[in-house]
């Protein structure tokens, strides 16, 4: 577009072959002295690096960290990106080429993962109106219809200008838009002020009308580019898969392999090429695509193209034609190319393969001369040192945690996992470093995105250990008062061998334990802290005084929270029961060493057992804690207390919950106590059938705490009580149908009996009144 003499502004849609052709045409026609491109200005000093003989696609990865925020984003380029064409063609023509936009880490890009994102501007009123008038579905089909058809380039340029002028008139700019446009405008004015030749500006079409109003102001300098010590930018290989909207990419054109073909072969020849590529992929996946199917798809696409007044087949013509000819069954979801976003899992498998062919599997490669961040060299060193370098195919790697060399290998693998580096997956191993599991199994596999992700992770630090620790440091800074998240962070810091970080996590846990309002979260943290204190030989925290101090604080807070927990009708809560178990275990295994007040703790359990306001499961758990801690004078006294408490809880609405708490904390004691088993049998037999059905769900939960062998022991005791042969106990544990189905059948029987009784249809021996 032309306004100020010597200024030529080309508005583009990112990753559009048509716009890339207009840019190339404009550069050849104008022969500019200056080319200004919407892109990160902090890369201007490194344009020679960007222009090394790379294999596209590639991206500029930018990262930033300060006390308030962290940010990471990408500026991707492929062969048909208008910005890339402006950069390479402008340099080749001898023009002064500059990026003119703010750095990707500037606050104007807050929340933006991709510089060229247009997600929020694909559904404007203008686009919706045009789609409705033209009978098209979505921005992508509209764009192909208007601009990706064969067209004389000057005519196309004017058509784009009118479109973007209308677009800007309809859509309101944000504060971020204004800040970016002011920065870009300053570049344009400075280039015009030099007065040494034409200026070509290549920018997103939304910004073009504003930049076209720029005028030369004598003496206008190029603006200073913002900088920050933590800001980093590196070139990374990119891939068509990451560039495609169907994998979540938010901007530009979908189906990059299709538009690469349009760029290389032209819009007339690309559809035939892509039809062959899609059919080849389908046949390679075992789909039977006959010549007749291929002809039908081609004829259908041609017909749709003519119906839509296309001189060359558009992407939607070809996809619609293939869907009509090849899909034989009804579709559960809309055709995926009519919308944007990740493919629905309900997408027809054949169409999903077609879209993968249209996406392509091309992966970029950086020139060997490209500067690399230190992290990449360190990762490669670590992989070689521990024989973890990916090979041609996936392989299994075993780790024996008792061996020092294997322990270092484990830490390296966990550091890669924490950073999200693809190709390293843990299949088995402990979920917390102190679990009695001393082996890990990993899968190491090649990944096309490996180098890219390592470079992107370099924003966390120059070495694998520092970067993984930095990643967790940020997680710690955002964990807030959540003890559950803090406990997980403690586990991660132990896995990667970060002693300093583990200490800081412990300090955060200690601070939060004094104020934690949730018993479940506190119980989980206490459980894990206790396991570290008892078992951690990997990090050296076993018996640590610092960990012990945190345990003592969490223990006191947990007792207080337990005493505040009320709700006589609350069902059993596994989180609460786990917390009571953690309190009991802390007293059992660390009470004396940490000088915990055992008398006070026992008094809390006794009060909870006697308090009718407490949840039934908590009352049962309190009894179980006292019993398993041997707080009764002898076993007979413990059994008598259990019998009294069980009879007191023998109401169908609370019995199962009470027993769930008791069994969770004193499972082994209950199995050995035959008098308690006898009372349980008596209580359950005395329940009317309707009451028993009410109690069944909670009873199933309670008895689910017993493993099969202990269930068999209980069954033997019951059979003996009733004069039966205990040898048949095991058969009682086998039920051929789902217990829920049995309960439902019993309830149905009860309903039938009630109806029969209501109408006097029961015989005397069946119960009821004749």
């Amino acid at each position: 577009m032309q306004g100020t003499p010597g200024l030529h502004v080309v508005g583009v849609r990112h990753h559009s072959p048509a716009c890339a052709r207009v840019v190339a045409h404009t550069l050849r026609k104008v022969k500019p002295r200056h080319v200004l491109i919407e892109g990160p200005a902090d890369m201007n000093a490194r344009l020679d690096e960007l222009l090394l003989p790379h294999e596209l696609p590639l991206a500029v990865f930018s990262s930033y960290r300060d006390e308030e925020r962290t940010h990471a984003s990408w500026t991707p380029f492929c062969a048909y990106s208008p910005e890339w064409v402006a950069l390479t063609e402008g340099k080749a023509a001898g023009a002064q080429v500059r990026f003119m936009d703010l750095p990707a880490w500037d606050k104007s890009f807050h929340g933006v993962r991709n510089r060229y994102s247009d997600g929020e501007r694909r559904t404007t009123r203008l686009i919706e109106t045009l789609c409705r008038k033209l009978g098209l579905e979505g921005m992508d089909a509209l764009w192909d219809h208007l601009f990706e058809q064969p067209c004389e380039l000057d005519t196309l340029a004017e058509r784009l200008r009118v479109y973007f002028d209308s677009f800007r008139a309809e859509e309101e700019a944000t504060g971020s838009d204004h800040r970016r446009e002011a920065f870009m405008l300053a570049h344009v004015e400075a280039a015009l002020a030099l007065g040494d030749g034409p200026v070509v500006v290549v920018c997103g079409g939304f910004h073009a009308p504003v930049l076209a109003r720029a005028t030369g102001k004598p003496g206008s300098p190029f603006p200073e580019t913002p900088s920050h010590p933590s800001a980093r930018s590196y070139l990374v290989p990119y891939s068509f898969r990451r560039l495609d909207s169907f994998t979540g990419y938010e901007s530009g054109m979908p189906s990059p392999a299709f538009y690469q073909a349009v760029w290389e072969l032209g819009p007339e020849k690309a559809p035939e090429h892509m039809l062959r590529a899609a059919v080849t992929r389908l046949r390679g996946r075992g789909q039977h695509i006959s010549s007749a199917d291929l002809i039908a798809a081609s004829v259908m696409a041609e017909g749709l193209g003519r119906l839509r007044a296309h001189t060359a087949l558009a992407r939607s013509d070809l996809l619609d034609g293939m869907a009509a000819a090849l899909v034989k069954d009804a579709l559960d979801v809309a055709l995926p190319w009519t919308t944007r976003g990740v493919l629905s899992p309900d997408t027809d498998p054949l169409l999903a393969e077609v879209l993968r062919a249209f996406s392509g599997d091309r992966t970029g490669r950086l020139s060997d001369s490209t500067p690399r961040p230190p992290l990449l060299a360190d990762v490669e060193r670590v992989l070689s040192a521990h024989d973890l370098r990916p090979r041609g195919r996936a392989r299994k790697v075993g780790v024996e945690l008792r061996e020092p060399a294997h322990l270092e290998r484990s830490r390296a693998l966990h550091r890669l996992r924490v950073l999200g580096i693809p190709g390293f997956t843990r299949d088995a191993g402990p979920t917390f470093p102190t679990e009695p599991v001393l082996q890990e199994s990993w899968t190491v596999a090649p990944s096309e995105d490996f180098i890219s992700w390592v470079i992107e992770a370099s924003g966390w630090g120059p070495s694998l250990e520092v970067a993984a620790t930095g990643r967790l440091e940020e997680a710690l800074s955002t964990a807030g008062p959540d003890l559950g998240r803090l406990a997980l962070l403690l586990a991660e810091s132990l896995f990667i061998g970060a002693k300093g970080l583990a200490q800081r996590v412990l300090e955060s846990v200690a601070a939060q334990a004094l104020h934690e309002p949730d018993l479940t979260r506190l119980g989980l943290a206490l459980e894990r802290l206790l396991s570290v204190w008892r078992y951690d030989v990997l990090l050296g925290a076993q018996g640590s005084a610092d960990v012990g101090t945190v345990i003592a604080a969490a223990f006191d807070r947990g007792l207080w929270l337990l005493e505040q927990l009320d709700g006589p009708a609350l069902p059993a809560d596994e989180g609460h029961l786990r917390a009571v178990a953690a309190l009991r275990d802390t007293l059992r295994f660390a009470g004396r060493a940490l000088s915990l007040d055992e008398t006070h703790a026992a008094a809390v359990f006794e009060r909870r057992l006697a308090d009718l306001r407490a949840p039934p499961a908590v009352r049962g758990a309190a009894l179980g804690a006292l019993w398993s801690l041997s707080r009764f004078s002898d076993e007979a006294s413990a059994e008598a207390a259990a019998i009294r408490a069980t009879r007191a809880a023998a109401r169908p609405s609370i019995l199962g919950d009470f027993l769930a708490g008791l069994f969770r904390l004193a499972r082994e004691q209950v199995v050995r106590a035959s008098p308690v088993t006898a009372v349980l049998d008596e209580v359950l037999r005395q329940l009317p059938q309707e009451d028993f059905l009410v109690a069944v769900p909670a009873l199933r939960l309670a008895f689910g705490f017993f493993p099969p062998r202990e269930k068999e022991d209980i069954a033997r005791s019951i059979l003996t009580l009733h004069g039966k042969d205990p040898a048949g106990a095991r058969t009682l544990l086998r039920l051929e149908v789902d217990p829920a189905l049995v309960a439902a059948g019993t309830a149905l029987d009860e309903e039938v009996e009630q109806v029969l009784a209501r109408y006097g249809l029961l015989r005397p021996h069946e119960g009821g009144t004749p």
Side-chain angles (χ1 to χ4, degrees), residues 6-308:
L7 175 61
H8 305 264
V9 178
V10 183
V12 302
R13 186 185 183 196
H14 306 299
H15 312 311
S16 161
C19 289
R21 294 185 200 283
V22 170
V23 168
H25 172 71
T26 303
L27 293 174
R28 290 192 294 267
K29 179 179 173 181
V30 172
K31 297 181 174 55
R33 177 58 181 159
H34 299 276
V35 177
L36 302 177
I37 305 166
E38 180 185 329
D42 55 339
M43 285 295 292
N44 281 332
R46 299 166 60 188
L47 291 184
D48 289 343
E49 178 186 331
L50 195 56
L51 291 168
L52 289 170
H54 309 292
E55 295 178 15
L56 298 177
L58 57 79
V60 177
F61 169 72
S62 300
S63 66
Y64 172 87
R65 296 178 67 191
D66 64 18
E67 294 181 355
E68 296 182 356
R69 68 183 178 99
T70 61
H71 183 68
S73 69
W74 294 262
T75 303
F77 301 101
C78 57
Y80 54 87
S81 296
E83 298 82 3
W84 182 258
V85 172
L87 175 66
T88 54
E89 297 278 343
K91 271 289 186 181
Q96 293 290 321
V97 178
R98 285 186 178 88
F99 286 130
M100 61 174 178
D101 201 357
L102 289 165
W105 49 264
D106 185 84
K107 63 180 180 180
S108 299
F109 291 96
H110 178 68
V112 176
R113 298 285 287 174
N114 192 294
R115 172 180 293 275
Y116 297 141
S117 175
D118 63 359
E120 75 282 3
R121 289 186 173 134
R122 285 197 298 266
T123 56
T124 64
R125 285 178 297 173
L126 174 65
I127 292 171
E128 290 175 347
T129 300
L130 288 172
C131 286
R132 189 165 53 251
K133 286 183 177 181
L134 297 173
L136 299 170
E137 293 183 285
M139 169 65 179
D140 297 324
L142 174 67
W143 182 267
D144 284 354
H145 179 79
L146 294 177
F147 304 114
E148 297 296 337
Q149 291 292 299
C151 181
E152 197 276 325
L153 291 174
D154 285 328
T155 301
L156 178 59
E158 178 61 17
R159 186 180 295 176
L160 287 166
R161 184 192 68 77
V162 173
Y163 174 81
F164 287 130
D165 281 349
S166 302
F167 189 66
R168 183 59 185 248
E170 288 282 339
E171 184 71 7
E172 184 177 351
T174 66
S176 295
D177 291 325
H178 290 310
R179 286 192 295 273
R180 292 177 58 199
E181 287 169 353
F183 189 74
M184 290 191 281
L185 199 60
H187 277 80
V188 179
E189 291 171 347
L192 289 172
L194 293 174
D196 56 352
V199 176
V200 169
V201 174
V202 178
C203 63
F206 182 77
H207 308 297
V210 174
L211 301 187
R213 296 196 291 268
T215 58
K217 298 179 181 179
S220 296
F222 285 99
E224 185 176 347
T225 302
S227 62
H228 191 276
S230 75
R232 299 284 186 275
S233 291
Y234 293 103
L235 294 186
V236 298
Y238 222 60
S239 65
F240 275 179
R241 180 181 59 81
R242 296 183 69 184
L243 202 61
D244 195 350
S245 65
F246 291 115
T247 60
Y249 182 66
E250 294 180 349
S251 64
M253 310 285 280
S255 302
F258 178 88
Y259 290 105
Q260 182 73 29
V262 170
W263 174 247
E264 293 176 350
L265 306 175
E268 298 91 345
K269 296 182 179 179
E272 181 182 352
H273 171 81
M274 291 309 301
L275 179 60
R276 288 199 303 270
V279 169
T280 299
R281 183 180 182 92
L282 288 170
R283 287 173 174 170
R285 297 299 187 276
Q287 293 287 332
H288 178 68
I289 306 296
S290 66
S291 298
D293 291 329
L294 184 57
I295 293 170
S298 180
V299 170
M300 182 66 74
E302 290 285 351
L304 289 169
R306 292 193 187 96
L307 185 64
R308 294 163 178 168

Side-chain angles (χ1 to χ4, degrees), residues 58 97 101 137 165 232 358 375 410 466 493 508 587 646 733 760:
L58 57 79
V97 178
D101 201 357
E137 293 183 285
D165 281 349
R232 299 284 186 275
F358 276 49
L375 177 63
S410 172
V466 171
S493 64
S508 297
L587 204 58
T646 301
L733 304 182

